[in-house]
Amino acid sequence: QVQLVESGGGSVEAGGSLRLSCEVSGDISRLYCMGWFRQAPGLERESVAEILLPDGNSHYADSVKGRFTVSQDKDKNTLYLDMNSLKPEDSAIYYCAADRGWEIAGTPRKICKLEYGSRGQGTQVTVSS
């Protein structure tokens, strides 16, 4: 079981920046990916950034590409999300998440589905115009 605790949310004006942190503890040996998803009122969950643990590759939602950066400090067991050029539409509760990966039938590959894995309690990000 993995435990995740987020911090760093808050309120910022459009164009500003925030850094979210996530302390990860527990058995991470079986994890395939870690990252962040968000949920705004009335909208579906959106996976915004993920890191694939086997190779360190990261992927981003089109809505945040070029503005958000996900990274990890393995020594501190901490995951980060650096958010720049924030927009009002980025306002949401942000969740740190980890997933063991879902096998693709007939292949050795897996896909990451953060919204179905373990997650933290969430941290609110509010961007004002």
Side-chain angles (χ1 to χ4, degrees):
Q1 191 71 301
V2 176
Q3 293 79 43
L4 307 113
V5 179
E6 304 99 335
S7 60
S11 297
V12 65
E13 292 185 352
S17 300
L18 281 174
R19 166 176 261 202
L20 305 183
S21 300
C22 174
E23 293 186 16
V24 184
S25 60
D27 183 7
I28 66 171
S29 63
R30 296 185 179 185
L31 294 180
Y32 175 70
C33 59
M34 293 194 294
W36 301 83
F37 69 86
R38 65 187 180 187
Q39 185 154 27
L43 299 179
E44 293 186 358
R45 290 178 182 176
E46 179 186 22
S47 178
V48 295
E50 64 188 34
I51 287 182
L52 303 185
L53 299 181
D55 56 19
N57 286 336
S58 56
H59 301 100
Y60 299 90
D62 288 341
S63 58
V64 306
K65 201 171 292 184
R67 301 187 296 121
F68 290 13
T69 303
V70 61
S71 61
Q72 61 175 150
D73 185 328
K74 293 181 181 179
D75 291 336
K76 295 181 179 179
N77 290 329
T78 302
L79 190 72
Y80 301 100
L81 184 68
D82 288 296
M83 305 184 293
N84 298 309
S85 302
L86 282 162
K87 305 175 181 179
E89 52 264 42
D90 293 319
S91 297
I93 299 176
Y94 284 70
Y95 297 90
C96 176
D99 184 41
R100 293 184 177 186
W102 297 70
E103 295 181 352
I104 300 174
T107 78
R109 296 172 55 198
K110 288 186 176 181
I111 58 174
C112 178
K113 295 187 178 182
L114 291 174
E115 60 269 34
Y116 294 114
S118 301
R119 68 177 189 184
Q121 80 285 358
T123 184
Q124 177 71 48
V125 171
T126 303
V127 184
S128 58
S129 57

